Amino acid sequence: MSMTPTTDARSPAPHSADSHDLIRVHGARVNNLKDVSIAIPKRRLTVFTGVSGSGKSSLVFSTIAAESQRLINETYSAFVQGFMPTLARPEVDVLEGLTTAIIVDQQRMGADPRSTVGTATDANAMLRILFSRLGEPHIGSPQAFSFNVPTVRASGAITVERGARKAEKATFTRVGGMCTRCEGRGTVTDLDLTQLYDDSKSLAEGAFTIPGWKSDSFWTVRVYAESGFVDPNKPIRSYTDKELHDFLHKEPTKVKVDGVNLTYEGLIPKIQKSFLSKDREAMQPHIRAFVDRAVTFTTCPECDGTRLSEEARSSRIRGVNIADACAMQISDLAAWVGGLDEPSVAPLLAALRHTLDSFVEIGLGYLSLDRPAGTLSGGEAQRTKMIRHLGSALTDVTYVFDEPTIGLHPHDIQRMNGLLLRLRDKGNTVLVVEHKPEAIAIADHVVDLGPGAGTAGGTICYEGTVEGLRAGGTITGRHLDDRAVLKETVRTPKGTLEIRGASRHNLRDVDVDIPLGVLCVVTGVAGSGKSSLIHGSIPAGAGVVSVDQAPIRGSRRSNPATYTGLLDPIRKAFAKANGVKPALFSANSEGACPTCNGAGVIYMDLGIMAGVSTTCEECEGKRFEASVLEYHLGGRDISEVLAMSVTEAAEFFGAGEARTPAAQAVLGRLADVGLGYLSLGQPLTTLSGGERQRLKLATHMADKGGVYVLDEPTTGLHLADVEQLLGLLDRLVDSGKSVIVIEHHQAVMAHADWIIDLGPGAGHDGGLIVFEGTPADLVAARSTLTGEHLAAYVGA
């Protein structure tokens, strides 16, 4: 008897594993978040919007992504965790449904002189292997093509303990590709000795003019004066040849000064180690100014800037050496690699082609592999980091992006949108912090934070579809379809700034007259030559105030009051009112709480565990000694003033006993750039990217100059904030300034008096002026990519 299996018509119960399709956040309180609870759908593209400082990054990066990374780090052994950054658990009650988070942020790549686009993306590593296998003549392993590896030779006796113990003579050689003259940097430095010392004086008379080198400094000046190699009482210009050589070039030598063993070293190698080995951008302003005065960088004459030894450049594949390959535009290099057909290295060629094609696909085909990583903009750095994820076989991971459209022309934003959708369609969760309407439009789910910034933000105003956002009545919803209109009348220039024969980077002998006394916008696709034209051709000297994209640096002790110089007039006002020293009113100086050293919190390092910070019990987080808080100005102590918002402080210092015009001027500039909600003592480490950009702009507005050069000032700005920025630019122009803006935002283009459009493409396809004129003429002509997109934007 046969049994026929019966089929159950009812659908099977869903598998319990399929129920985890949400990332749940409950009770998030990081930074300004106010007990936020939210459910984010997995395997969808979710965009987080809201005004700058509303809490987007706090929710996405500091809560969701940070906890995912912390949990992954905890899976490693305690030994491995000791080498990893320690992460504290975010202030949140419950986080469920997390997946592995891959963060692609806007952090600039390290400005190390040895770091290039090629080394940062592994493209160089693959090229080195390729040349070590196919290059003719064959010169060695992949290390022979690396500008970070010096050639090493050694010989001597080694003892081999195998059976009878005996010494054998051995030689060792490792062939590296580093140029010996510039040590793989591509440039050599020349020091202007007149900036280091005054040769008419002796060391005893304080000949050194180096910042921080005081005549009584034990570790620096006294080592030279009491070393015995030079006469400290003789003017430097009177030194003998031997004394001058010992003074400038002597190898490190042990000396005894006042019974203490110290190392004496010639002045030039000492300066190179103490100043030139550091990141210029991380230096204090006065140190940076000294380095700019004293040091000149010139292309290395031996390697011609390629960083590679002559031997490494002698090996070629089809007439191309590795230096030529790295100098090619990546789109051209991809075509060259695509023409190589060698079965013995087929897997290597396939991987290299994929990496190079990813560069082109993501809109970075105009770069070259030898481009220093520190010269990439924030947007370029973020897209470079995306390269390794484009062809990844990983799925069901969470990709977290921080404004991926920054630095992109509207034409390039469409391509970026396609890449984000591709990542989602592979089954990944994509979380994007974004302001651009074109990027918000492709979202499956939108989370709008606000309603305001700082303490006025930190709540969920809306979550749902894009259509629902438009009708939701939030600030983002109301401004989502805002479109700036073209000006009916434009200002008349009051002169011109002539640029002739500009040929920096990809510029092709460009001649252009930049009108002065108006709002001039320089635009064009990414890589078309905008920054090369403006930053490279306009002298950043007298009368030119340049606000570039370099991030502002600051520790947890830095705050808006210290960064903008606002604290100086405040301290002086407190000191004058109370008849004491200004230093008492600095938490980094005499007035600091002795228990927490003015930090307000006490940090406990727990090794491999996350450090713990507790509010200082002595000062209750106020950062000052109790005796300092007894001094008042206008009825407030210094800690209460630092807790004020910019708006409150402007009112406080504007009238009455506390009236301080110098403080009022700085506070007015902060309010002008839309930072009225910031508290004066808020640590810089808690500010968002957009807030930092505007803080930098406010600081530079105090600089004396007639020409302002702004590099993408809309970076990190919400649609509502862009209106305020346009008003600020108008006020600058109306006050008699000339404003030149490098920008992609169509609202700024539409508001301009004059537009200079570069292109037509990027890299060697750009570098030309493709349009000069008013925005109305650009829209009417529609002869360039910018013209087409601006016409669509204004609805012409």
Side-chain angles (χ1 to χ4, degrees):
M1 187 175 76
S2 64
M3 296 281 292
T4 304
T6 58
T7 56
D8 191 349
R10 290 173 301 172
S11 59
H15 198 289
S16 58
D18 295 331
S19 62
H20 301 284
D21 55 356
L22 293 172
I23 296 174
R24 289 187 174 87
V25 181
H26 188 77
R29 296 176 299 280
V30 176
N31 294 333
N32 66 333
L33 295 179
K34 297 172 182 170
D35 236 9
V36 165
S37 298
I38 189 173
I40 301 165
K42 288 185 183 176
R43 293 175 286 281
R44 296 291 183 272
L45 173 60
T46 301
V47 173
F48 293 79
T49 64
V51 296
S52 179
S54 60
K56 305 181 297 297
S57 295
S58 298
L59 177 59
V60 179
F61 289 91
S62 304
T63 304
I64 297 171
E67 178 65 353
S68 173
Q69 288 207 317
R70 188 185 73 84
L71 293 173
I72 290 169
N73 288 0
E74 283 189 351
T75 64
Y76 297 108
S77 67
F79 173 75
V80 174
Q81 286 184 54
F83 296 97
M84 304 174 85
T86 52
L87 302 169
R89 186 181 188 277
E91 276 194 79
V92 59
D93 295 333
V94 180
L95 269 172
E96 293 179 335
L98 293 177
T99 67
T100 303
I102 295 175
I103 299 173
V104 189
D105 60 16
Q106 290 177 44
Q107 285 292 326
R108 292 290 188 97
M109 294 191 174
D112 187 291
R114 298 184 185 282
S115 180
T116 65
V117 170
T119 59
T121 57
D122 298 336
N124 259 34
M126 289 186 274
L127 265 182
R128 292 199 299 269
I129 299 171
L130 183 67
F131 273 87
S132 71
R133 300 295 185 271
L134 301 183
E136 291 293 338
H138 176 74
I139 62 167
S141 70
Q143 289 184 329
F145 297 92
S146 172
F147 53 74
N148 287 326
V149 179
T151 296
V152 176
R153 295 184 180 85
S155 63
I158 62 170
T159 302
V160 181
E161 298 199 8
R162 188 191 303 139
R165 188 173 172 182
K166 62 177 184 176
E168 297 179 358
K169 189 173 182 183
T171 59
F172 167 76
T173 302
R174 181 188 69 194
V175 179
M178 179 186 287
C179 168
T180 53
R181 172 77 186 274
C182 64
E183 297 186 353
R185 287 184 169 87
T187 58
V188 289
T189 56
D190 288 324
L191 285 168
D192 182 355
L193 298 181
T194 62
Q195 297 294 333
L196 306 184
Y197 55 80
D198 181 351
D199 66 357
S200 66
K201 294 181 179 179
S202 67
L203 296 184
E205 293 171 329
F208 287 117
T209 55
I210 302 164
W213 285 40
K214 297 175 183 173
S215 56
D216 59 346
S217 176
F218 185 78
W219 300 108
T220 51
V221 179
R222 283 187 61 189
V223 173
Y224 286 93
E226 300 178 29
S227 64
F229 296 118
V230 295
D231 182 349
N233 298 308
K234 187 197 299 187
I236 294 175
R237 65 172 55 159
S238 302
Y239 282 179
T240 64
D241 288 347
K242 184 178 187 314
E243 281 180 319
L244 194 60
H245 179 271
D246 287 347
F247 178 59
L248 295 177
H249 303 289
K250 193 168 184 66
E251 295 289 320
T253 308
K254 293 291 182 186
V255 295
K256 189 167 280 193
V257 178
D258 282 353
V260 179
N261 287 322
L262 298 171
T263 300
Y264 175 94
E265 187 174 21
L267 182 62
I268 289 176
K270 178 96 171 171
I271 293 295
Q272 287 174 331
K273 286 178 183 175
S274 56
F275 291 105
L276 302 189
S277 61
K278 295 176 183 173
D279 174 10
R280 179 185 171 280
E281 291 301 323
M283 295 175 179
Q284 293 174 289
H286 70 288
I287 301 291
R288 192 186 311 150
F290 162 72
V291 170
D292 290 343
R293 284 196 317 270
V295 183
T296 56
F297 294 90
T298 54
T299 301
C300 175
E302 283 193 18
C303 67
D304 201 23
T306 63
R307 307 163 180 253
L308 291 159
S309 65
E310 188 176 351
E311 197 173 12
R313 287 177 281 136
S314 68
S315 183
R316 297 174 179 271
I317 300 174
R318 296 189 184 177
V320 174
N321 65 28
I322 191 168
D324 299 333
C326 290
M328 283 184 195
Q329 188 166 301
I330 288 176
S331 56
D332 296 339
L333 179 60
W336 180 76
V337 171
L340 298 177
D341 184 17
E342 183 60 50
S344 62
V345 289
L348 176 65
L349 286 172
L352 182 55
R353 281 185 202 120
H354 175 263
T355 299
L356 298 175
D357 288 343
S358 296
F359 270 105
V360 176
E361 185 179 5
I362 210 165
L364 293 177
Y366 60 86
L367 297 179
S368 60
L369 296 182
D370 62 1
R371 168 92 173 258
T375 65
L376 298 182
S377 69
E380 287 172 333
Q382 185 173 26
R383 283 179 282 152
T384 300
K385 292 174 194 172
M386 281 183 72
I387 298 292
R388 63 180 69 246
H389 305 303
L390 288 185
S392 172
L394 290 173
T395 60
D396 260 330
V397 298
T398 299
Y399 286 97
V400 186
F401 293 96
D402 188 6
E403 294 187 58
T405 61
I406 277 185
L408 289 186
H409 188 272
H411 172 71
D412 300 315
I413 291 177
Q414 298 171 350
R415 183 185 287 171
M416 176 60 71
N417 284 349
L419 295 172
L420 295 175
L421 292 172
R422 263 179 48 197
L423 285 174
R424 177 205 64 185
D425 293 344
K426 285 171 58 178
N428 298 305
T429 304
V430 182
L431 308 182
V432 182
V433 173
E434 191 51 86
H435 292 296
K436 294 275 178 69
E438 302 97 320
I440 297 172
I442 64 165
D444 301 308
H445 189 74
V446 178
V447 177
D448 190 23
L449 284 95
T455 53
T459 59
I460 304 292
C461 297
Y462 171 83
E463 53 177 317
T465 63
V466 179
E467 290 71 24
L469 176 66
R470 284 193 169 92
T474 65
I475 293 178
T476 305
R478 291 199 303 271
H479 288 275
L480 195 59
D481 292 318
D482 278 3
R483 295 294 181 265
V485 296
L486 296 173
K487 285 182 178 177
E488 291 184 11
T489 58
V490 295
R491 298 179 182 93
T492 305
K494 297 175 183 174
T496 57
L497 184 66
E498 294 184 357
I499 295 176
R500 295 290 178 265
S503 56
R504 187 175 184 181
H505 296 145
N506 66 330
L507 294 176
R508 292 188 252 171
D509 210 23
V510 169
D511 295 338
V512 65
D513 292 333
I514 298 176
L516 298 178
V518 299
L519 175 57
C520 176
V521 172
V522 180
T523 188
V525 296
S528 59
K530 303 180 298 297
S531 296
S532 300
L533 177 66
I534 301 303
H535 293 307
S537 304
I538 295 179
V544 177
V545 178
S546 181
V547 187
D548 59 17
Q549 288 187 10
I552 67 172
R553 299 171 185 273
S555 68
R556 54 184 174 234
R557 285 184 174 276
S558 304
N559 54 50
T562 58
Y563 182 78
T564 58
L566 171 64
L567 194 57
D568 290 337
I570 291 177
R571 284 163 48 201
K572 287 174 184 171
F574 265 94
K576 186 177 180 182
N578 295 280
V580 292
K581 291 191 295 184
L584 284 175
F585 303 99
S586 170
N588 296 326
S589 186
E590 292 182 29
C593 166
T595 305
C596 63
N597 292 324
V601 291
I602 294 174
Y603 294 92
M604 182 69 69
D605 184 9
L606 300 178
I608 63 165
M609 308 297 289
V612 175
S613 62
T614 54
T615 303
C616 175
E617 294 180 2
E618 183 75 23
C619 66
E620 298 177 343
K622 293 181 179 177
R623 304 174 63 192
F624 292 90
E625 247 185 312
S627 59
V628 174
L629 299 180
E630 293 174 8
Y631 299 118
H632 290 80
L633 176 69
R636 303 288 187 99
D637 65 42
I638 184 68
S639 70
E640 290 173 323
V641 167
L642 290 176
M644 290 179 180
S645 69
V646 168
T647 306
E648 291 171 331
E651 193 176 321
F652 177 73
F653 287 109
E657 181 198 344
R659 187 173 181 277
T660 311
Q664 185 76 359
V666 179
L667 291 164
R669 290 193 291 271
L670 287 170
D672 278 345
V673 296
L675 294 178
Y677 59 88
L678 280 189
S679 64
L680 305 186
Q682 183 176 341
L684 285 190
T685 50
T686 65
L687 300 189
S688 70
E691 288 168 333
R692 288 183 175 219
Q693 175 94 341
R694 283 185 284 166
L695 187 62
K696 185 176 180 180
L697 178 58
T699 306
H700 281 289
M701 280 171 61
D703 297 346
K704 296 283 187 287
V707 180
Y708 278 73
V709 177
L710 309 181
D711 196 345
E712 295 188 47
T714 60
T715 297
L717 289 192
H718 185 265
L719 298 161
D721 297 324
V722 172
E723 287 183 25
Q724 188 165 6
L725 176 73
L726 294 176
L728 172 64
L729 297 179
D730 275 342
R731 287 198 299 278
L732 282 173
V733 176
D734 292 340
S735 69
K737 310 287 186 185
S738 301
V739 180
I740 302 168
V741 183
I742 300 171
E743 191 54 84
H744 292 294
H745 203 295
Q746 293 105 316
V748 181
M749 294 182 208
H751 201 73
D753 299 305
W754 192 260
I755 283 186
I756 297 172
D757 192 14
L758 279 94
H764 59 48
D765 296 325
L768 295 173
I769 303 289
V770 291
F771 177 84
E772 291 178 79
T774 64
D777 291 341
L778 178 62
V779 167
R782 301 191 193 199
S783 56
T784 68
L785 283 171
T786 306
E788 290 173 17
H789 285 278
L790 185 58
Y793 175 83
V794 298

